[in-house]
Amino acid sequence: EVQLVESGGGLVKPGGSLRLSCAASGFTFSSYSMNWVRQAPGKGLEWVSSISSSSSYIYYADSVKGRFTISRDNAKNSLYLQMNSLRAEDTAVYYCARRSGYPAFDIWGQGTMVTVSS
Amino acid sequence: EIVLTQSPGTLSLSPGERATLSCRASQSVSSSYLAWYQQKPGQAPRLLIYGASSRATGIPDRFSGSGSGTDFTLTISRLEPEDFAVYYCQQYGSSQYTFGQGTKLEIK
């Protein structure tokens, strides 16, 4: 079964750091670009970051540039998001998502909740 | 950055009716780069349509997408009870993705 499972969410104080992980299974992880998408409580979807299959191309939304770092380990079938200098507005469910052949996200994880609060 | 505006914000219809959801872009979007998603409460989004008009794997044929340039439409021909959810359009351009704000499809 094709699956993505996020972990690492939790409660963190403003200015703190958190590292999210996404474990992939059921497909050849190293062949796909991967993404992080977030959703603040009661709000819509916001793309956060993307990384190409070999990590050669990495992009960020302006809202997280300079604070978040995306990475992957193809040997471990895992995607990561290092989040530093966290703000209250970073509070959201964070999803990892696989990009299909088209620029669309065909597989999503169940999400992990990040709460930034003092 | 391309802004996507979805309308209406909320659509109230009954099962069996036809739903038409709109997504308008602030500048032209390649049809290959326009997708639609469905999200139910407490669940991750699900890809419905990619390339503006191609159904994703397992998506019933009552869902269809159309449009080009700045105007795109998601149509659900005959609403089933499980179709009531929030729908998002998404575009890709300049190595960035943006989503519309969503249309909530609710039971009338």
Side-chain angles (χ1 to χ4, degrees):
Chain A
E1 179 190 5
V2 175
Q3 197 172 9
L4 296 171
V5 179
E6 302 95 336
S7 61
L11 175 63
V12 61
K13 289 181 168 54
S17 297
L18 212 55
R19 189 194 196 207
L20 306 183
S21 299
C22 172
S25 59
F27 65 99
T28 305
F29 179 73
S30 60
S31 296
Y32 290 87
S33 293
M34 297 296 296
N35 296 265
W36 289 99
V37 176
R38 69 184 180 183
Q39 186 169 36
K43 303 298 184 182
L45 301 169
E46 180 188 16
W47 170 77
V48 172
S49 182
S50 66
I51 185 168
S52 63
S53 58
S54 60
S55 304
S56 297
Y57 301 97
I58 288 174
Y59 303 100
Y60 299 97
D62 288 345
S63 58
V64 306
K65 201 173 296 183
R67 300 187 299 122
F68 290 11
T69 302
I70 192 173
S71 62
R72 64 190 296 162
D73 185 335
N74 287 342
K76 295 183 177 180
N77 291 335
S78 293
L79 175 72
Y80 306 102
L81 186 67
Q82 177 66 42
M83 304 186 295
N84 298 331
S85 303
L86 283 162
R87 307 166 179 166
E89 54 265 36
D90 296 318
T91 295
V93 174
Y94 285 74
Y95 297 100
C96 63
R98 185 181 83 171
R99 172 184 155 148
S100 69
Y102 279 76
F105 303 154
D106 62 345
I107 304 296
W108 295 66
Q110 86 289 349
T112 187
M113 182 71 203
V114 172
T115 302
V116 184
S117 175
S118 55
Chain B
E1 174 187 310
I2 296 178
V3 176
L4 299 179
T5 302
Q6 294 185 238
S7 61
T10 301
L11 185 58
S12 299
L13 293 170
S14 301
E17 292 192 292
R18 180 185 185 90
T20 302
L21 287 66
S22 174
C23 176
R24 180 161 291 176
S26 58
Q27 53 188 284
S28 186
V29 172
S30 167
S31 295
S32 297
Y33 296 168
L34 195 289
W36 289 91
Y37 299 85
Q38 176 194 67
Q39 187 179 34
K40 297 179 180 179
Q43 295 184 17
R46 176 174 71 145
L47 177 65
L48 297 175
I49 301 288
Y50 63 91
S53 61
S54 298
R55 276 187 300 277
T57 302
I59 301 303
D61 59 8
R62 64 180 181 273
F63 290 90
S64 63
S66 63
S68 64
T70 60
D71 290 296
F72 297 88
T73 300
L74 174 69
T75 301
I76 310 171
S77 59
R78 294 172 309 281
L79 286 167
E80 297 287 343
E82 62 267 27
D83 298 337
F84 292 92
V86 179
Y87 292 83
Y88 295 95
C89 57
Q90 175 208 42
Q91 72 83 35
Y92 172 75
S94 301
S95 304
Q96 307 269 316
Y97 297 86
T98 54
F99 290 90
Q101 84 280 14
T103 289
K104 181 180 181 180
L105 179 56
E106 65 176 24
I107 299 176
K108 187 174 182 180

